[in-house]
């Protein structure tokens, strides 16, 4: 039977000069003067807790802790092994070593590792003291020097976007070497669990269940089981799985030879419970167990979860003029991907907890995101991330961990890559949320722009497809993002990273000319809330924009040209508001354009949902979990049913996009509003009927017949349908030129209640005249998430919405304001 001893918890930790040895690996070495450290964990976090470094996320402190990555870090653990472990095979497992590791057990070097994403498993059967004390020592070499050592010196052939050239030689999260949204911070530590595990006759190494075919409520499943046997045996494999009232049981006799054995079995399951993405059905997950019996006795067992679902990437379809497409079908149903790029949630990776993941992922779901792209320069995330995506129905496009570089192609590097990818695919392949493996982020684009031509790197075109085809036939594979038939710029057959807006400084309206088959990156910077800025900038550096803003990766040279169409910021609050408005309009424009083209465009994943440190960058939810205006803009643009007007020459075209799997019938209402007087000057209605899962041009108008003076008159649209409503606004000139008259707002508290660490308020907001970009907030530094925010109100209109205040004090001040209205404040007392 399997026995285990978890070695997580308290270890000893100390730093030494790079390469210095004074017997730290010896069993009797005196480590009593070393600090205590938590495992799983990371060195920076331990130093910060003890006041040995300043907060690296504040101001420019990150530069002051670079010494941490220029010294060796040693971990030591003393542990007792019971006698009962003796007699079978005992293995030592490190799920994650970050990164350049040598491991000693009782003074003997037993293994080395140089890949952050590759677990290490070592047979230590004859190296342990049974019924006695043992000592484990781990040297983690100075990550900066170890990276340079592997690079062999600068080469003109080594090209990268972002970070040091040397990073491509190190199998470590690439963003840690510095990116255009985060500072260089090389983590170091035992970042995932450590344990000992003991077996007798054989061990179930791995299990994988995938769906070969669906026919109604009948599924054909294939069960893969990998068993390592320590001798030749005859045995039996028993498979059990259940989800709600669906119960699956099967058993198979097996002949095991000494060594690794791979078994594959087929099952037909009737009344199967399917896993669906968010908005398409329930997220059913099967609890499964595989038992290995020899001579009728249980030898080993393995428990896991899986989902029954199929996924297909449709690349040929008549939905586009050239007959090419890039959209996904899940369980045979076309699904438009609405979401964002996901990057690591904290530079100090050990601070990312299940609760932190849940907070962010539930916010994504609340924002109508059904998909995230796990970006290639980041992490293979902790297990909690994938489990929560399964539970929440968030589809994952998953890059392998390469980004923006021309990587080595020597056999030793490719061999390490192959082991890493095998480990990643086998670890994650039971997660139904993952619908695509992708070789890298922008490697081929970089190679093209760096003079290599359309370069087909061996890791992406030989190694990765070989691994995926052998280990995971349940998902499609793409060699890179972006990538089309003819290379990284062939957007007519593949996905696109559209950075003409922002990096190319072309106007936001250029999104309306995007004809890509899938929009996998696009974005716009915005400053975070003023209260967020105050958390990481000294008071004297809050305003105006200065070197610390640039240190935290704001780029005013690119931001300011976009601001000119929206207004002139005269204060910090103006600048924050207008940058967030620019971001909101950019994302709204791109997303709605992509959705109007459904399924000629198969999805829109903006850059980025989250941030790993406090900055003034592309994320719609800042490091502290506070949504920007852009979050609410994409929430509305990602809603299941939207009304989407667009200017097309002299015409105004109004589309209704329906993601529901049923027909939508309703009434489309057009209001022409004179915002200089706050009055409605014209109103029209038209009945609409939109087929399931489609985009429909519902109406069109001559712009000149609707609006006489675009600086005074705007167009407001509302769709009322059975089950909901959708609204939108179209300006026919630059926003800064529209003369919104001042108005007065009303705020009424309808109810308040406490839910765990939240105050949940229900408020009613109204306006005397036309109110532009109404938002609810609190004065104090508290995180506020509203059901809707930055919305417009017609004259006399009232809106009821729910507002959550996270970790509130007993008293705080609720406020409502608008671009053209002064704040109205309401004092809250939760104790009264």
């Amino acid at each position: 039977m399997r026995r285990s001893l978890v070695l997580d918890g308290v270890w000893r930790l100390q730093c030494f000069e790079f390469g210095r040895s004074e017997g730290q690996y010896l069993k009797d070495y005196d480590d009593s003067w070393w600090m205590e450290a938590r495992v799983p964990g990371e060195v920076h976090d331990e130093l910060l807790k003890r006041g040995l470094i300043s907060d690296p996320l504040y101001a420019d402190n990150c530069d002051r802790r670079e010494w941490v990555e220029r010294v060796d870090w040693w971990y030591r653990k003393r542990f007792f092994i019971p006698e009962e472990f003796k007699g079978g095979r005992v293995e030592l497992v490190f799920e994650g070593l970050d990164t350049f590791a040598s491991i000693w057990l009782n003074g003997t070097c037993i293994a080395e590792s140089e890949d952050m994403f590759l677990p290490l498993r070592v047979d230590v059967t004859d190296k342990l003291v049974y019924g006695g004390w043992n000592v484990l020592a781990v040297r983690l070499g100075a990550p900066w020097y170890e990276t340079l050592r592997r690079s062999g010196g600068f080469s003109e052939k080594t090209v990268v976007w972002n970070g040091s050239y040397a990073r491509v030689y190190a199998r470590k999260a690439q963003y840690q070497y510095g990116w255009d949204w985060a500072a260089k911070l090389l983590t170091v530590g035992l970042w995932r669990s450590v344990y000992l595990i003991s077996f007798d006759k054989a061990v179930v190494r791995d299990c994988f269940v995938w769906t070969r075919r669906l026919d109604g409520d009948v599924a054909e499943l294939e069960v893969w089981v990998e068993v390592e046997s320590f001798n030749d045996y005859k045995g039996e494999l028993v498979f059990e799985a259940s989800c709600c009232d669906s119960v699956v049981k099967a058993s198979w006799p097996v002949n095991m030879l000494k060594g690794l054995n791979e078994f594959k079995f087929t099952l037909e399951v009737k009344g199967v419970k399917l896993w669906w993405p968010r908005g398409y059905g329930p997220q059913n997950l099967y609890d499964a167990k595989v038992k290995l019996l020899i001579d009728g006795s249980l030898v080993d067992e393995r428990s896991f979860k899986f989902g029954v679902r199929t996924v297909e990437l449709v690349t040929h379809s008549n939905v586009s003029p050239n007959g090419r497409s890039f959209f996904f079908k899940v369980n045979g149903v076309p699904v438009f991907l609405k979401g964002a790029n996901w990057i690591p949630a904290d530079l100090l990776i050990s601070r990312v907890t299940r609760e932190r993941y849940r907070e962010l992922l539930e916010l994504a779901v609340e924002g109508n995101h059904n998909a995230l792209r796990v970006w290639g320069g980041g992490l293979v995330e902790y297990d909690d991330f994938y489990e929560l995506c399964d539970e929440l129905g968030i589809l994952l496009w998953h890059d392998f961990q390469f980004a923006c570089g021309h990587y080595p192609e020597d056999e030793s590097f490719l061999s390490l890559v192959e082991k890493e990818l095998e480990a990643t695919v086998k670890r994650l392949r039971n997660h139904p949320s993952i619908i695509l493996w992708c070789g890298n982020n922008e490697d081929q684009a970089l190679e093209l722009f760096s003079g290599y031509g359309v370069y087909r790197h061996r890791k992406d075109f030989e190694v990765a497809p070989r691994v995926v085809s052998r280990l995971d036939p349940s998902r499609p594979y793409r060699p890179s993002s972006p990538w089309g038939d003819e290379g990284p710029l062939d957007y007519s057959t593949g996905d696109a990273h559209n950075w003409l807006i922002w990096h190319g400084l072309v106007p936001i309206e250029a999104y309306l000319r995007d004809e890509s088959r899938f929009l996998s990156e696009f974005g716009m910077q915005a400053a975070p809330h003023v209260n967020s800025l105050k958390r990481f900038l000294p008071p004297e550096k809050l305003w105006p924009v200065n070197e610390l803003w640039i240190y935290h990766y704001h780029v005013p040279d690119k931001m300011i040209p976009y601001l000119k169409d929206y207004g002139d910021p005269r204060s910090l609050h103006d600048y924050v508001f207008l940058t967030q408005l620019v971001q909101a309009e950019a994302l709204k424009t791109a997303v709605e354009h992509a959705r109007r083209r459904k399924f000629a465009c198969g999805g829109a994943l903006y850059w980025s949902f989250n941030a790993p440190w406090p900055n003034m960058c592309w994320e719609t939810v800042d490091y502290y979990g506070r949504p920007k205006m852009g979050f609410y803009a994409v929430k509305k643009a990602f809603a299941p049913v939207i009304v989407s007007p667009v200017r097309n020459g002299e015409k105004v075209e109004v589309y209704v996009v329906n993601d529901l799997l049923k027909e939508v019938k309703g009434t489309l209402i057009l209001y022409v509003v004179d915002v200089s007087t706050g009055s409605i000057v014209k109103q029209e209605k038209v009945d609409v009927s939109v087929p399931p899962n489609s985009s429909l041009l519902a109406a069109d108008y001559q712009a000149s017949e609707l609006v006489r003076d675009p600086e005074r008159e705007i167009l407001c649209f509302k769709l009322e349908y059975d089950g909901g409503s959708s609204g939108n606004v179209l300006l026919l000139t630059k926003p800064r030129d529209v003369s919104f008259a001042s108005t007065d707002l009303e705020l009424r508290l309808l109810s308040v209640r406490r839910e765990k660490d939240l105050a949940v308020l229900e408020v009613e907001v109204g306006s005397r005249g036309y109110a532009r970009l109404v938002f609810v907030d609190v004065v104090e530094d508290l995180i506020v998430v509203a059901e809707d925010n930055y919305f417009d109100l017609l004259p006399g209109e009232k809106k009821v919405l729910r507002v959550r205040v996270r970790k509130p004090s007993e008293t705080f001040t609720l406020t409502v304001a608008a671009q053209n209205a002064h704040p109205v404040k309401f004092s809250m007392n939760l104790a009264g």
Side-chain angles (χ1 to χ4, degrees):
M1 279 290 292
R2 180 186 297 234
R3 294 172 293 275
S4 62
L5 179 65
V6 176
L7 299 180
D8 294 347
V10 177
W11 288 52
R12 292 283 184 173
L13 172 67
Q14 192 52 261
C15 65
F16 294 86
E17 181 182 349
F18 179 57
R20 176 184 169 189
S21 176
E22 54 178 50
Q24 301 98 319
Y25 58 90
L26 295 173
K27 187 176 182 180
D28 58 357
Y29 177 85
D30 179 14
D31 60 16
S32 61
W33 60 280
W34 292 17
M35 71 183 86
E36 292 186 342
R38 178 176 56 90
V39 172
E42 195 275 328
V43 166
H44 287 87
D45 196 27
E46 295 294 340
L47 298 176
L48 186 59
K49 290 174 183 175
R50 288 166 175 76
L52 298 176
I53 59 171
S54 299
D55 181 0
L57 309 188
Y58 185 80
D60 58 357
N61 286 348
C62 199
D63 286 349
R64 298 183 177 91
R65 52 86 256 154
E66 283 211 343
W67 66 269
V68 177
E69 56 199 47
R70 297 169 187 261
V71 295
D72 292 347
W73 291 92
W74 282 78
Y75 282 83
R76 284 174 58 90
K77 175 79 170 181
R78 188 169 179 261
F79 59 95
F80 184 86
I81 286 289
E83 284 282 357
E84 63 209 50
F85 271 73
K86 195 172 185 179
R89 176 186 290 190
V90 183
E91 294 175 348
L92 173 64
V93 180
F94 290 87
E95 290 189 345
L97 290 154
D98 183 13
T99 293
F100 309 101
S102 300
I103 297 99
W104 285 264
L105 179 59
N106 295 329
T108 300
C109 186
I110 58 172
E112 294 186 340
S113 176
E114 56 176 342
D115 191 321
M116 180 180 185
F117 307 116
L118 182 60
L120 179 66
R121 184 183 297 271
V122 187
D123 183 353
V124 293
T125 307
D126 58 354
K127 296 176 177 63
L128 290 166
V129 177
Y130 298 95
W133 289 94
N134 297 260
V135 174
L136 192 57
V138 180
R139 172 190 174 265
L140 297 173
W144 180 237
Y145 292 143
E146 291 285 0
T147 298
L148 291 176
R149 188 165 66 84
R150 281 159 177 76
S151 73
F154 178 75
S155 167
E156 63 207 16
K157 293 183 179 180
T158 306
V159 290
V160 295
W161 288 333
N162 297 298
S164 166
Y165 77 93
R167 67 175 173 80
V168 300
Y169 296 93
R171 291 313 303 139
K172 180 169 176 58
Q174 299 287 272
Y175 76 96
Q176 296 186 354
Y177 293 86
W179 222 261
D180 57 2
W181 36 261
K184 172 176 171 283
L185 190 153
L186 302 182
T187 57
V188 57
L190 306 181
W191 74 292
R192 298 185 64 211
S193 285
V194 185
Y195 52 88
L196 286 161
I197 193 162
S198 170
F199 315 100
D200 294 329
K201 298 178 179 179
V203 53
V204 179
R205 289 291 186 197
D206 193 66
C207 304
F208 175 42
V209 179
W210 63 284
T211 310
R212 292 185 60 93
R213 182 179 55 86
L214 286 177
D215 185 6
D217 69 346
V218 179
E220 182 181 296
L221 306 182
E222 194 157 303
V223 181
W224 294 8
V225 183
E226 189 177 279
V227 176
E228 184 174 1
S229 180
F230 307 138
N231 214 323
D232 295 349
Y233 294 109
K234 290 185 177 181
E236 180 183 14
L237 284 171
V238 178
F239 175 76
E240 300 172 350
S242 64
C243 176
C244 302
D245 60 354
S246 176
V247 177
V248 185
K249 292 184 178 182
S251 62
W252 306 277
V254 290
N255 291 319
M256 294 173 289
L257 301 177
K258 185 176 181 179
L260 198 62
N261 300 262
E262 295 180 350
F263 303 105
K264 298 180 180 182
F265 312 101
T266 302
L267 284 174
E268 183 177 273
V269 181
K270 297 179 180 178
V272 71
K273 303 295 183 183
L274 298 182
W275 184 93
W276 290 95
R278 194 82 178 185
Y280 291 82
Q283 288 72 55
N284 292 310
L285 293 168
Y286 279 79
D287 292 301
K289 182 178 291 186
V290 170
K291 299 177 180 180
L292 174 62
L293 282 69
I294 296 178
D295 296 328
S297 297
L298 180 64
V299 172
D300 193 25
E301 63 182 13
R302 192 177 186 95
S303 299
F304 59 102
K305 291 180 182 287
F306 70 92
V308 177
R309 65 101 181 94
T310 59
V311 60
E312 175 189 0
L313 176 58
V314 181
T315 56
H316 292 79
S317 172
N318 60 6
V319 296
S320 67
N322 69 346
R324 299 305 303 273
S325 59
F326 195 111
F327 67 88
F328 292 87
K329 285 185 177 180
V330 179
N331 300 331
V333 176
V335 176
F336 186 95
L337 267 59
K338 302 177 294 188
N341 284 258
W342 173 274
I343 52 181
D346 206 308
L347 290 185
L348 305 184
I349 58 178
S350 62
R351 300 207 297 207
V352 182
T353 62
R354 188 178 185 90
E355 291 69 30
R356 182 93 169 267
Y357 277 137
R358 182 178 291 280
E359 179 182 296
L360 286 168
L361 294 173
E362 287 184 346
L363 194 56
V365 168
E366 183 177 341
N368 291 318
H369 298 57
N370 67 9
L372 295 170
R373 173 179 174 235
V374 180
W375 171 73
L379 295 172
V380 181
E381 298 284 345
Y382 293 102
D383 291 340
D384 292 328
F385 174 81
Y386 303 100
E387 292 170 4
L388 288 168
C389 286
D390 289 345
E391 294 173 13
L392 294 169
I394 299 174
L395 299 172
L396 296 177
W397 167 317
H398 206 299
D399 289 354
F400 292 132
Q401 273 43 61
F402 305 89
C404 300
H406 181 63
Y407 287 81
E409 289 187 281
D410 59 273
E411 293 302 326
S412 61
F413 183 82
L414 293 178
S415 175
L416 180 61
V417 166
E418 185 155 13
K419 293 174 185 175
E420 174 191 318
L421 299 191
E422 286 175 348
T424 298
V425 171
K426 289 175 77 171
R427 174 187 157 204
L428 300 180
R429 60 186 175 175
N430 277 311
H431 290 284
S433 54
I434 300 174
I435 59 169
L436 178 77
W437 297 116
C438 181
N440 67 74
N441 172 78
E442 293 184 355
D443 287 358
Q444 275 66 36
L446 170 130
E447 288 161 342
L448 180 65
F449 285 112
S450 300
Y452 286 88
V454 178
Y455 194 85
R456 289 171 167 80
H457 197 287
R458 290 180 63 195
K459 69 177 171 55
D460 310 306
F461 288 84
E462 295 178 22
V463 176
R466 181 168 67 238
V467 169
V468 172
S469 64
R470 179 167 56 86
L471 297 180
D472 188 5
S474 72
R475 295 172 179 85
Y477 169 78
R478 298 287 291 181
S480 182
S481 178
W483 186 259
D485 287 359
E486 303 301 322
L489 300 185
D490 181 8
Y491 300 160
S492 67
T493 64
D495 69 308
H497 292 190
N498 188 340
W499 286 109
L500 292 174
I501 295 88
W502 182 258
H503 287 305
L505 289 176
V506 303
I508 289 171
E509 296 76 36
Y511 281 129
L512 302 178
R513 299 192 294 273
D514 187 287
E515 293 296 323
S516 61
R517 295 290 162 256
F518 192 104
L519 203 49
S520 48
E521 273 194 29
F522 59 98
M524 178 66 65
Q525 284 197 354
H529 194 288
V530 171
N531 284 337
S532 289
L533 290 170
K534 290 177 178 178
R535 291 191 185 190
F536 67 93
L537 293 180
E540 68 276 11
K541 292 296 185 180
L542 282 171
W543 183 255
V545 173
N546 54 69
E547 72 280 3
L548 279 188
W549 281 63
I550 295 169
Y551 184 85
H552 284 260
Y553 289 91
H554 191 56
V555 187
D557 291 352
K558 290 182 178 177
M559 188 78 254
I560 291 171
Y562 287 100
L563 289 179
K564 63 182 174 58
D565 289 341
Y566 292 84
D568 298 316
R570 303 294 183 184
S571 67
L572 174 60
H573 284 84
D574 285 351
Y575 191 82
V576 169
F577 186 89
L578 288 175
T579 61
Q580 290 199 14
L581 176 56
V582 170
Q583 182 190 59
E585 286 296 310
L587 298 183
K588 174 183 184 291
T589 301
V591 168
E592 289 191 15
H593 175 68
R595 293 195 67 188
R596 288 191 296 266
R597 299 177 55 234
K598 180 183 184 176
F599 283 98
C601 177
L605 306 176
Y606 66 85
W607 187 277
S608 61
F609 180 74
N610 61 318
W613 80 322
N615 59 19
M616 307 81 164
C617 228
W618 288 288
E619 67 284 342
T620 60
V621 177
D622 73 23
Y623 173 76
Y624 305 105
R626 183 179 272 123
K628 299 180 183 178
M629 191 189 306
F631 171 83
Y632 295 102
V634 295
K635 178 179 181 177
K636 288 186 267 278
F638 281 160
V641 178
I642 63 167
V643 55
S644 177
V646 62
R647 179 78 176 266
N648 186 2
E650 293 304 311
K651 283 191 171 184
V652 172
E653 298 176 339
V654 186
Y655 286 77
V656 177
V657 185
N658 175 20
D659 284 353
L660 303 179
L661 302 182
K662 63 180 182 180
E663 183 181 32
V664 166
K665 292 184 178 181
T667 302
L668 175 64
I669 309 169
L670 161 66
Y671 301 93
V672 181
V673 183
D674 185 335
V675 296
S676 67
T677 62
S679 59
I680 297 173
V681 298
K682 188 175 183 179
Q683 180 175 334
E684 290 187 10
K685 294 183 179 181
V686 60
D687 292 334
V688 297
S689 178
V690 188
N693 210 6
S694 68
S695 172
L696 177 74
L697 176 59
D700 60 59
Y701 306 90
Q702 287 296 129
S704 59
E705 296 176 4
L706 292 177
V707 173
R708 294 166 298 175
D709 182 357
E711 294 186 1
R712 297 177 55 194
E713 295 176 342
I714 68 171
L715 302 177
C716 299
F717 298 86
K718 286 201 172 181
L719 175 68
E720 303 286 348
Y721 63 95
D722 184 21
S725 64
S726 172
N728 215 326
V729 175
L730 182 64
L731 310 184
L732 298 182
T733 189
K734 294 177 181 179
R736 69 174 297 152
D737 294 333
V738 180
S739 302
F740 290 98
S742 297
T743 188
D744 297 318
L745 299 176
E746 298 174 355
L747 173 63
R748 190 160 68 99
L749 179 65
L750 302 180
S751 68
V752 58
R753 68 180 188 275
R754 299 295 293 259
E755 288 184 5
K756 298 180 180 178
D757 63 345
L758 298 173
V760 181
L761 318 177
E762 189 176 64
V763 300
E764 181 184 78
V765 180
S767 175
R768 176 182 53 81
Y770 189 90
R772 177 66 169 159
L773 298 171
V774 181
F775 60 96
V776 178
D777 201 358
V778 297
V779 173
E780 294 78 11
D781 184 11
L782 300 170
I783 305 300
V784 175
V785 179
E787 186 177 10
D788 190 9
N789 231 351
Y790 302 98
F791 51 85
D792 288 14
L793 289 176
L794 292 169
E797 184 179 7
K798 296 182 185 296
K799 185 180 181 75
V800 175
L801 66 153
R802 190 180 64 164
V803 179
R804 302 196 309 275
V805 182
R806 192 182 305 154
K807 297 180 180 178
S809 52
E810 289 296 325
T811 60
F812 59 89
T813 304
L814 186 67
T815 180
V816 61
Q819 188 175 21
N820 61 330
H822 292 297
V824 175
K825 298 180 180 180
F826 188 96
S827 297
M828 297 290 304
N829 189 335
L830 298 180

